């Protein structure tokens, strides 16, 4: 259960995986974009995982379908606003929302800068409306290749003051991190924090690479780090944050079931692991579900769930003063 004396934080949530099914339908109708169904019940199997899919790529295909309705920048602004509204209704006090302008822009060849501006604008409007604290993380879609990602970094850097970090997501198995060393050097030079999807669809070596060559201080998923005890020791020594995503990892067949998820072992070792949703609309879950249902099923004790919440505050991309303000508001 969520400890009411701690602020509820979400550190790993993708905008592209947070698009409401009702909004997909509305935008599809508005822009005459064909969809597999013209009602929510018929659409859900195409944009939401029921049970599991064979791998990460099959999971990403559902996100791709949801993004086909982003016909203009107003659509991008709308989904950004609604993602923050939904987070507010979940009781979240602070969220780091990550987005790939490449991914959002590609279906209808929108200019990346315009998409970035629209996302920033939508988020700022929602912050004013709901009083939630938000920081944005830029994402590079590794699946599009290093050259396209370099252009994406340059586009994001034009809005560097509106972003707090850079992430690398997408097809980890076929696009290894060493192809993106220059991209993350530029990001670090700009003063951004670094979080990397690693050890989800690839092995522990990918986690080591993200730490050594990309400068990650946090890792998305990192499930396969569990197979390398020396790596876990290194992560502990360095205070590396782990953005764990329980339901998502089962759905992508990264982990066979919740009982075998490594999160409780990470917490047992004192690692700074946290609980997050990843792509809540695709997974059909929210953060309270992950804390109240998924975490106990993954073998976490109430004390470990509490520790994961404390860890989220410790590793959030916030200043010490911002953390104190959040803590004070929750008491």
């Amino acid at each position: 259960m969520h400890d009411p004396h701690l602020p509820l934080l979400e550190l790993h949530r993708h905008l592209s995986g947070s698009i409401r099914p009702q909004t997909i339908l509305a935008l599809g109708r508005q822009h005459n974009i064909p969809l597999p169904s013209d009602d929510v019940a018929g659409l859900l199997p195409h944009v939401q995982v029921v049970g599991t899919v064979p791998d990460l790529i099959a999971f990403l295909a559902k996100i791709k379908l949801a993004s086909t309705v982003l016909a203009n920048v107003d659509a991008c602004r709308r989904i950004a606003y609604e993602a923050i509204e939904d987070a507010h209704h979940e009781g979240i006090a602070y969220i780091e929302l990550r987005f790939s302008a490449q991914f959002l822009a590609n279906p209808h060849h929108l200019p990346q800068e315009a998409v970035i501006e629209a996302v920033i604008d939508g988020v700022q409007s929602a912050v004013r409306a709901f009083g939630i604290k938000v920081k944005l993380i830029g994402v590079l879609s590794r699946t599009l290749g290093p050259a396209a990602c370099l252009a994406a970094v340059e586009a994001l850097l034009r809005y560097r003051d509106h972003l707090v970090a850079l992430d690398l997501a997408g097809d980890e198995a076929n696009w290894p991190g060493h192809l993106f060393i220059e991209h993350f050097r530029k990001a670090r030079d700009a003063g951004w924090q670094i979080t990397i999807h690693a050890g989800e669809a690839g092995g522990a070596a990918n986690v080591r690479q993200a730490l050594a060559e990309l400068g990650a201080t946090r890792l998305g998923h990192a499930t396969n780090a569990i197979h390398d005890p020396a790596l876990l020791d290194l992560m502990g020594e360095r205070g590396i944050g782990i953005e764990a995503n329980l339901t998502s990892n089962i759905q992508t067949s990264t982990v066979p079931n919740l009982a075998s998820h490594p999160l409780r072992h990470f917490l047992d070792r004192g690692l700074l692991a946290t609980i997050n949703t990843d792509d809540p609309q695709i997974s059909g879950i929210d953060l309270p579900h992950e804390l109240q249902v998924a975490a106990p099923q993954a073998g976490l004790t109430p004390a470990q769930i509490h520790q994961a919440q404390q860890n989220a505050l410790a590793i959030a991309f916030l200043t010490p003063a911002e953390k104190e303000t959040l803590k004070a508001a929750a008491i």
Side-chain angles (χ1 to χ4, degrees):
M1 292 290 289
H2 168 58
D3 182 343
H5 300 297
L6 280 172
L8 191 57
L9 274 64
E10 167 78 278
L11 302 185
H12 190 115
R13 182 176 294 199
H14 292 267
L15 174 56
S16 55
S18 303
I19 309 173
R20 299 171 182 168
Q22 299 91 328
T23 298
I24 297 171
L25 284 176
L27 291 172
R29 290 190 192 113
Q30 183 182 338
H31 299 291
N32 297 312
I33 296 164
L35 291 166
S37 175
D38 58 2
D39 63 63
V40 170
L43 181 66
L44 274 184
H46 300 277
V47 297
Q48 204 169 80
V49 175
V50 180
T52 63
V53 292
D55 54 25
L56 178 62
I57 300 307
F59 186 90
L60 294 175
K62 293 185 183 287
I63 302 178
K64 198 167 185 176
L65 175 60
S67 72
T68 59
V69 298
L70 302 176
N72 59 20
V73 293
D74 284 338
C76 298
R77 186 179 294 108
R78 173 177 176 172
I79 64 165
Y81 181 95
E82 290 179 351
I84 301 306
E85 182 179 19
D86 290 344
H88 166 70
H89 288 312
E90 289 170 49
I92 292 171
Y94 170 72
I95 183 169
E96 293 175 2
L97 185 68
R98 57 190 70 196
F99 72 104
S100 166
Q102 296 167 283
F103 189 83
L104 301 177
N106 270 8
H108 296 275
H109 311 291
L110 304 176
Q112 280 190 56
E113 286 87 348
V115 169
I116 297 166
E117 286 180 17
V119 170
I120 292 167
D121 187 45
V123 165
Q124 289 177 341
S125 295
V127 166
R128 288 192 295 271
F130 303 108
I132 182 172
K133 189 167 185 64
V134 182
K135 297 219 175 180
L136 286 169
I137 296 175
V139 174
L140 300 185
S141 298
R142 66 213 303 165
T143 320
L144 300 174
C149 285
L150 209 50
V153 172
E154 297 300 340
L156 288 165
L157 281 171
R158 294 187 188 108
Y159 304 89
R160 71 178 70 194
D161 295 342
H162 294 280
L163 303 172
V164 71
L166 188 67
D167 179 23
L168 183 64
D171 183 358
E172 180 191 353
N174 292 306
W175 293 93
H178 69 78
L179 299 171
F180 302 94
I181 291 172
E182 174 65 11
H183 306 63
F184 285 87
R185 185 192 62 75
K186 285 177 178 286
R188 295 194 308 275
D189 287 349
W192 283 339
Q193 304 276 359
I194 305 299
T195 176
I196 301 289
H197 282 67
E200 178 189 18
N206 289 14
V207 175
R208 285 187 176 276
Q209 188 276 336
L211 299 178
E213 296 183 348
L214 303 183
T217 59
R218 280 182 13 198
L219 299 161
H221 305 285
T223 44
N224 288 318
I226 197 72
H227 305 300
D228 186 339
L231 172 60
L232 296 179
D233 289 342
L234 177 70
M235 290 164 62
E237 289 162 16
R238 290 199 190 168
I240 300 297
I242 300 171
E243 305 155 0
N245 304 276
L246 291 167
T247 296
S248 168
N249 289 158
I250 308 312
Q251 291 180 338
T252 58
S253 300
T254 299
V255 175
N257 50 56
L258 282 170
S260 59
H261 197 284
L263 176 56
R264 73 179 187 278
H265 300 297
F266 291 154
L267 291 165
D268 282 342
R269 290 186 73 116
L271 298 180
L272 294 172
T274 61
I275 299 168
N276 307 278
T277 62
D278 202 12
D279 298 285
Q281 291 290 355
I282 304 296
S283 292
I285 49 110
D286 58 15
L287 190 55
H289 174 275
E290 295 301 273
L291 291 166
Q292 296 162 18
V293 179
Q297 288 179 2
L300 272 69
T301 64
Q304 286 178 316
I305 296 169
H306 175 87
Q307 186 60 51
Q309 289 179 250
Q310 286 190 311
N311 290 346
L313 192 61
I315 69 169
F317 292 144
L318 290 165
T319 65
E322 287 172 324
K323 291 178 184 182
E324 287 304 319
T325 300
L326 271 178
K327 268 200 294 193
I331 294 169

